[in-house]
Structure formats: C-alpha cells, structure tokens
Amino acid sequence: MSKLRLAIVGAGPAGIYAADILLKAERAFDVSIDLFEQLPAPYGLVRYGVAPDHPRIKGIITALRDVLDRGDIRLFGNVRFGEDITLEDLKRHYNAVIFSTGAIRDADLDIPGIDAESSYGAADFVSWFDGHPDVPRTWPLDAESVAVIGNGNVALDISRMLAKHAVDLLPTEIPENVHAGLEASRITDVHVFGRRGPAQVKFTPLELRELGELRDVDMVVYDEDFDYDEATQNAIASNKQIMVIDRVLQSWRKRPGVNNAGGEASRRLHLHFWARPVEVEKDADGRVAALVYERTRPDAEGGVVGTGELREVPIQQLYRAVGYFGSPLPGVPFDERHGVIPNHEGQALQPDSNEIVPGVYATGWIKRGPVGLIGHTKSDAMETVRHVINDQGSWWQPEDPAEDAIPALLAERGVRWTDLDGWHRLDEHEIALGAPHERARIKVVPRDEMVNVSRGE
C-alpha cells in the first residue's frame, strides 16, 4: 500500500477543510498531512479578516478546531513559504502540495487621486483592527468625515467599525491597541458609496440590519435613490434577500436624519447609491480632501450608466473596499490579471501552455478568487482533493519522506515554528487575559509575543 505525504500551505478554512476532506475520503493509500501557516496561529481570515463584533461568524473556528484537535494533522505555524521552506523543499519531502493561501491584498481602484495620503485599502484596516501581527500597531483616525467605497460585506464591516463607539466593542476580543485607537477617533460621518442601486448591493441582509442597530449612530439614506425602475421592482418582488434588504432600507427612510435632516446621534452613517467614484481630490499637502462621484442610473439590463452629473463630498480619509486580490508565491504559477494560481479544478496549470503542473494544487480564494462563503470553500476543497487522489501516477517521488525531516529542517534553519500544542497555549493565554475584564479574550498582537507564549518560552 502506498502513502501520500501531503503539504498544505495556508491554515485557514480552505486548507483545514481540504485536509479534513482528504482524510475522510475513500482512497487506496494512507495519508500524512502537514499544514504550514505563516502566522503563529491558525484559522486565517476567520481570525484576521472578520470584524471582532461578529462572534457568530467566528463560531466557524469551533468546527476548524475540532478538525485540528483530532491529532491526525500536524501544524507548523510561523513558517513563511518561500523563505523558511521552499517549493524545492516540499518536493524533497512530500508527494504533493495544496496551496490555500487566500487573497489578502486589496484590489486596485483606478481613479485619479486614489494614491492620496489618507487613502487606504480595506485589507490593511481590517488587519489592523483584527490585531494582525505584521501591520503597524497604530492607525490614524484623525478625520471627521470618511468615505468607504464598495457595497459588499467588507465595506459594511469597515463602515460599522468606523462608526461604532469603541466602548461598545469592549465585550469582543478586540486588541487593546485597537480599542485605544478607536476610542480616540474624531469621526462624526461615514459615507458609503456604491455605483449601483439599493436592490443591487452585494452585502447580506444580516450585515445591513446590524448597521441600523448601532448605538448613537444615525442611518442616513436619500429619497432620490429609491425611485425604482420596473426591473428593480421585479427583483424586489421575486427575490427574498433583495426584498429583505429593501425592507430594511425603507424602514430607515422613516427615521430622523434621512436626507441629512439631522438626527440626534453624535455620529452618522450615510449610504449613497447610484454613485460611481470618479476622482479623489487632494489638498495642498497631498491629503484626501473630497470624493467626486458621478450619479448613475439603471440601464434596464441590470447594469448602470453614467448620467454625467458630478457631485462632491468633502472627506479627510478614504477606504476602498472593492475586493481582495491574491499574492504570487515563489516558484508557483500565478495569473497576474486575476490574482490566482491558474488551475483546472484545482490542478495548477502553466500560464503560457495550460499544461498541468504535477504535484501542485490550489483551493480557496487563491484558486477561484475572493468570492463565495464558507460553503463554497468546502465544495471547492472537495474538487481539488478529488484530483489529488486521482493523480497518484503523477505525484512527486520525494527523496526523504520521513516525518521527522521537516522539524529537523526548520530547526537547522533557526525557524521558531509553533505547533498545535502551542496554539492551545496561546488560545488559553488570550482567554485568560480577557477573563478579568469579562471579555471573550484579548488578542495578543506582537508576533514575537505570540511565538514566545506558543513555545512556552
């Protein structure tokens, strides 16, 4: 009976699901899986890409923890692919590798002035408020009026975190430095811009409804955005999700503060629809001064067209939340245009010839781009794993498949890797930090401290 020694690079949901699915699959060989993660802790974007006030989404971690805690998957945290371990190393010690490294960069928004000072990408801000160890500890929150470009869930997460009062985040696992930064924020107005109408948004009803529940924050919508055409009316009547979103927005039109009439809250969150960003204006110092946008209208085919009418909203800070983008991996084929590993159902392809690259696979966002929810990630992993199993004839033939070879290699290179026991130590440490304050946990932010706690040093 043969044995598959498999490396998985990336310990977020995509990587953990792939490992779990393979271990449970029908196959004619044994399996040994090593999971490599560049951060000292597992779970990827569930830990570092979900707002801290979304504990129910973080409940996914419970399912991921159950998979890792079975003990049939080894975890090597704080190991950077391309630096601490290379593709050649993997070929020497494994039969195949699945990359599940996600998409953590911001997609570009090509408009004049987007490079202004105080213009940011969503991913950097999310990494900051989630306590990612590789971003600065501070974030400038000295603006009173802020723009968020995008109409997806990430845009709403960012808008909610900017508008929400810091004290209301204390019950969550928000890091201390993030709470201090948000507490000092001068924000009074958050403006969210989407180029389509209220019935074409990409966020979910639950996310939208949460915005309206923020304490001391007025929701501001504009009557002119709700002059629906026939296609929009049909969409609302035929799609339950769109119907719920419309119902929430319509309820906000009845609140004080609509059309900037002025409610009583100390902060306001404005939703601007039919608004296509055209330019970011800068002040004399090169900082964000205003967002210029063009009013759009429906084109009767589900899209929008410009009206030629330009408007301007004074702001001092801007966040673009127009999607994430994958990053290239050393020695691995990469599609620069789409930000993914070029692949056929998870089998990596050479970008110029479309020939299959033996032994190299992809799953998750680095495979299909940053779309889909957790359910998509599972079906995605099943497709990739099916090919790994069926491709036995083209697996790599490693020189040294011994399980003790990897710890020896990392030790020789001076890599301070963390393992599953180390994650348990860090997890318990963060929970203990939060306990005296009646908080779920207080997340440890510095990488060295995470590693020290994990390794018991």
Side-chain angles (χ1 to χ4, degrees), residues 335-357:
D335 181 338
E336 295 282 354
R337 182 181 174 191
H338 298 102
V340 298
I341 294 173
N343 69 90
H344 168 70
E345 298 181 347
Q347 297 170 299
L349 302 175
Q350 293 290 359
D352 45 358
S353 64
N354 277 344
E355 290 182 8
I356 290 174
V357 181

Side-chain angles (χ1 to χ4, degrees), residues 72-400:
D72 49 7
I73 303 166
R74 287 200 304 183
L75 175 67
F76 292 91
N78 200 41
V79 177
R80 294 181 186 272
F81 177 79
E83 297 178 27
D84 301 323
I85 198 161
T86 66
L87 187 62
E88 289 307 311
D89 294 327
L90 298 183
K91 288 180 178 179
R92 196 172 300 118
H93 300 291
Y94 297 91
N95 299 105
V97 58
I98 298 176
F99 288 99
S100 56
T101 49
I104 57 172
R105 286 189 295 158
D106 285 290
D108 292 331
L109 179 64
D110 188 16
I111 61 172
I114 196 66
D115 60 343
E117 190 176 340
S118 299
S119 172
Y120 305 104
D124 292 334
F125 184 54
V126 171
S127 292
W128 174 73
F129 68 58
D130 268 332
H132 195 293
D134 297 337
V135 300
R137 300 288 176 269
T138 59
W139 191 274
L141 290 165
D142 52 353
E144 293 183 357
S145 185
V146 174
V148 177
I149 297 175
N151 263 178
N153 282 344
V154 174
L156 289 199
D157 264 3
I158 287 174
S159 303
R160 195 180 63 256
M161 290 294 290
L162 289 168
K164 197 167 188 173
H165 293 276
V167 67
D168 296 331
L169 287 162
L170 276 178
T172 73
E173 61 182 47
I174 186 171
E176 289 294 295
N177 64 299
V178 176
H179 176 258
L182 291 172
E183 195 170 37
S185 170
R186 296 175 55 198
I187 285 175
T188 60
D189 291 84
V190 178
H191 297 267
V192 186
F193 296 88
R195 63 189 180 92
R196 297 176 184 269
Q200 288 82 40
V201 295
K202 298 296 185 185
F203 38 72
T204 56
L206 188 60
E207 292 269 351
L208 182 65
R209 195 179 287 120
E210 285 180 341
L211 280 187
E213 297 169 355
L214 297 181
R215 183 186 63 82
D216 192 32
V217 178
D218 276 334
M219 297 305 303
V220 183
V221 292
Y222 298 85
D223 284 339
E224 64 178 344
D225 291 340
F226 295 87
D227 185 14
Y228 291 154
D229 65 349
E230 185 178 349
T232 300
Q233 291 171 358
N234 290 338
I236 293 170
S238 61
N239 185 301
K240 186 175 181 181
Q241 177 162 310
I242 296 174
M243 185 188 304
V244 174
I245 286 172
D246 179 64
R247 191 178 299 152
V248 173
L249 292 171
Q250 296 290 353
S251 73
W252 293 348
R253 294 177 70 186
K254 300 179 178 68
R255 291 186 179 185
V258 172
N259 294 325
N260 250 339
E264 298 179 356
S266 65
R267 293 179 177 177
R268 288 161 295 281
L269 205 161
H270 309 251
L271 297 182
H272 302 269
F273 300 104
W274 309 112
R276 183 179 69 85
V278 172
E279 181 180 1
V280 180
E281 289 191 351
K282 305 178 185 180
D283 64 15
D285 298 320
R287 295 176 60 89
V288 170
L291 179 68
V292 179
Y293 70 91
E294 179 186 19
R295 283 286 290 178
T296 60
R297 60 175 175 81
D299 64 0
E301 296 180 2
V304 297
V305 293
T307 65
E309 178 189 351
L310 298 180
R311 297 184 183 179
E312 183 177 303
V313 176
I315 54 170
Q316 299 88 47
Q317 201 173 59
L318 178 142
Y319 296 84
R320 69 183 191 279
V322 294
Y324 288 160
F325 202 77
S327 301
L329 298 156
V332 181
F334 189 70
D335 181 338
E336 295 282 354
R337 182 181 174 191
H338 298 102
V340 298
I341 294 173
N343 69 90
H344 168 70
E345 298 181 347
Q347 297 170 299
L349 302 175
Q350 293 290 359
D352 45 358
S353 64
N354 277 344
E355 290 182 8
I356 290 174
V357 181
V360 179
Y361 301 85
T363 192
W365 282 3
I366 198 63
K367 169 186 174 182
R368 69 178 188 274
V371 292
L373 303 174
I374 293 295
H376 296 89
T377 302
K378 287 185 177 179
S379 58
D380 205 32
M382 290 178 72
E383 181 181 70
T384 297
V385 165
R386 186 171 67 248
H387 282 292
V388 173
I389 293 172
N390 292 338
D391 290 349
Q392 187 171 359
S394 60
W395 289 349
W396 300 329
Q397 299 304 313
E399 297 171 21
D400 183 8

